[in-house]
Structure formats: structure tokens, C-alpha cells
Amino acid sequence: MKAKWKKFAVRLALTTMVMVFGLIALLLNPNVMFAHAVTHGKFIVYANTPLDEATLAPFLDGAIQRVEGCELYDDGYHYKIILAHNSFYNKIDNLIFDPYAAARPTANNIIVKAPVDLEAKVALTDRSRIDLTYLLSHEMIHCLQANSYGMAKFNPFSPPPMWKLEGYPEYISRPELHNKGQDQLREQISQYLKWEASLNDGWIQVSDNHHLPGIYVKGRLMTTYLMEVKEMTYDDLLKEQVKEEEVYQAMLSWAATTDP
């Protein structure tokens, strides 16, 4: 009897291992579950409906243009974009990761979980119409974070502090918010303080059609302050001694002054 139970336990353990490794392989290679693909530049876009390269090209090219100047950029790196909404893969993904996220990265995959309107170039959520150039460039930076520093440091289960994780992708993917110098940054810090005072669910309405978690906005402002005022690199920013509250208070003190 003991021998039978031992065999059963071994088979169960092996079956579980196969299922776990199979799930990991699927999460890292979701493209195998999608029927259509289009290649454009450094991207392969996958979906379960036919795709047109001419429709995809404007926001794919725009995303590359935003990302290629950042310090993490790797010219040899390529991206798989999975338009996963309403797919069986997305149902599996929702069981493991945030089902409310518009998109998320895994290795060099960008899983766009929200429905998309490719003609309008937006992803659609309950709160927002998200510009696809912004969304993709944000997620591309997450891919490059893991590419530069390793999955051990940048992964969904043990990431760096949220402001360090999300601030840099926001900084790179929204160049229009930091292209007018330090006066623009002071104005945005002042606006953030007004938003912060009225936060009731942790989200900020940054425009008529777009809401963001407050930490994304705070992280972008702190990243902008460190990189453009303190002239730090992202590598500097990631160091353990760079603490959120210390940086935040220093930024507020700087913003309250009128001197450069």
C-alpha cells in the first residue's frame, strides 16, 4: 500500500511540475495562442483578428521614437505585442495578474488586456481612453527595465518601490509633460498637490479621458525632479539610499522656491 501511495505522490508531483512549467512557458510565449500576426520594425503584433500594418505603424513608430532616447534603450531588442482582450489567454492571465490592468509586460511581451480601437489608436477601459503610443512606450520601458536589470529585480512579484518602477516609464512615455523646463515641473507639482488633497480612491483624472493611479503621477514628478534638476540617471535613482519620502520632501522644497 505504501508503495502505491509513493507512486501516486511521485506522479502527482511530476504532473504538477509539468503543469507549472507549461503555464510558465505559455505566459512567456503567449503568441502561440493567436491566429494572426503582423511584423513592423522591432515589433510583432499578434491578435485573433486580421491586422493591417498601415493601421499599426503610426503608434508603433511613435512608441519607438519616445523610447529610443532613454538610457535603457537596446537597439537589438524586439517586442511582441499581444492584443489579448476577449481571448482565452486573457482569461488565464486574469487569474494570475491584475484583471483590471490595461496592459502589462512579461519579458519582451506586451500584453494589451483592454479592448483596443486601432483606427482611433486608443485602448479602452472603464475609466479611460488611453493613447496607444503612450501605453506601448510605457510598457516598453518596463520590458527594458527587466532587460537591463534582470527579472530577479523587475518582476510582478517582487518589484522595486512603485515610484521607482512606474515613474521612469511615465517620464519617458510622456515627453510633452517635461519639455518646457523647470517652470513646467513646478506648475505640475503644484497641480499634483491639489489633486492629492482631493484623492478619494487613489486615482487622478489627468485629462478628460484619462485616469491614472496617483503613484504614477507622483513617481513621474519625482523622477523628473531627480533627472532634470539633480541630473541623476535612472541607475542612480534605483539605488537603495534614494528614499521616496526624502526625495518627495526635497522636491516640494525646491518647487516652493523661484531660484533655479
Side-chain angles (χ1 to χ4, degrees), residues 26 33-34 48 84-94:
L26 179 62
M33 297 187 68
F34 293 83
N48 275 331
H85 178 68
N86 225 14
S87 67
F88 180 67
Y89 176 85
N90 210 28
K91 293 178 182 178
I92 298 172
D93 193 89
N94 287 343

Side-chain angles (χ1 to χ4, degrees), residues 135-172:
L135 181 65
L136 293 182
S137 55
H138 179 109
E139 299 303 329
M140 288 163 67
I141 294 297
H142 282 316
C143 293
L144 293 172
Q145 287 170 327
N147 181 58
S148 296
Y149 297 101
M151 288 291 287
K153 187 168 185 177
F154 281 88
N155 68 77
F157 306 106
S158 58
M162 281 294 290
W163 75 275
K164 294 186 178 185
L165 175 69
E166 298 293 351
Y168 190 62
E170 283 293 297
Y171 173 77
I172 296 298

Side-chain angles (χ1 to χ4, degrees), residues 115 130 169 204 237:
I130 306 172
I204 290 174
L237 185 155

